[in-house]
Amino acid sequence: SKHRDAGELSFEYDGQGGMKFAATHLGKQVVSVSCRLPEADEGAITIPLDMQSVKGGLISCPKQSGQVDNMGKQTRYSTAVNCTMHAKPWDPKTDALVLGEDDFYAAGPKSWGFVPILKAHSSDFKIVAWAPE
């Protein structure tokens, strides 16, 4: 779901095989992630992907966004993805995920007790989304 006020995102590769990502919304932390890239160490699984969704097979957002002004407009659309995906189990010794205090984006995953089990990365990710139907 979208919110009328944009958040702030930061992302960086550390040059040592790791990455960091952080997001804030309305001045509150949503999420911060730091992890080793799967392909930086032995044991990653490499998966070549070249896929296309069924025409109109994706739905843009929930019919009701949960906001007073219902900012979402539900539409059906299609995408295609081409990339080399590297995956590896999440390792709490080298990887960290912190869900913040933002009421709009962080509250859901926190209430689910979300715990990551897998990490994935692609340096050649390409996607196309066709106009809504």
Side-chain angles (χ1 to χ4, degrees):
S1 187
K2 293 181 182 177
H3 192 281
R4 74 179 134 266
D5 298 313
E8 294 184 26
L9 309 177
S10 67
F11 176 85
E12 69 178 275
Y13 290 111
D14 67 11
Q16 306 294 314
M19 59 73 68
K20 292 181 181 179
F21 172 82
T24 60
H25 182 244
L26 298 176
K28 294 181 179 177
Q29 180 186 13
V30 175
V31 64
S32 65
V33 178
S34 63
C35 70
R36 294 282 298 162
L37 298 175
E39 68 272 27
D41 302 310
E42 295 285 325
I45 296 171
T46 300
I47 309 157
L49 298 173
D50 189 0
M51 310 171 97
Q52 185 171 335
S53 68
V54 174
K55 185 175 180 181
L58 301 168
I59 300 173
S60 60
C61 63
K63 197 167 215 145
Q64 299 297 320
S65 71
Q67 298 183 69
V68 174
D69 57 5
N70 194 35
M71 294 180 63
K73 178 179 184 296
Q74 194 175 67
T75 56
R76 298 186 76 85
Y77 67 104
S78 308
T79 65
V81 172
N82 183 290
C83 70
T84 306
M85 187 70 63
H86 305 283
K88 193 172 183 181
W90 186 264
D91 183 352
K93 291 182 228 143
T94 58
D95 308 328
L97 170 79
V98 176
L99 295 169
E101 299 302 321
D102 175 70
D103 297 329
F104 192 80
Y105 292 109
K110 281 183 89 165
S111 72
W112 308 329
F114 179 78
V115 176
I117 59 171
L118 183 72
K119 57 185 173 181
H121 177 255
S122 174
S123 60
D124 63 354
F125 187 82
K126 295 177 269 322
I127 188 169
V128 61
W130 285 279
E133 314 209 340

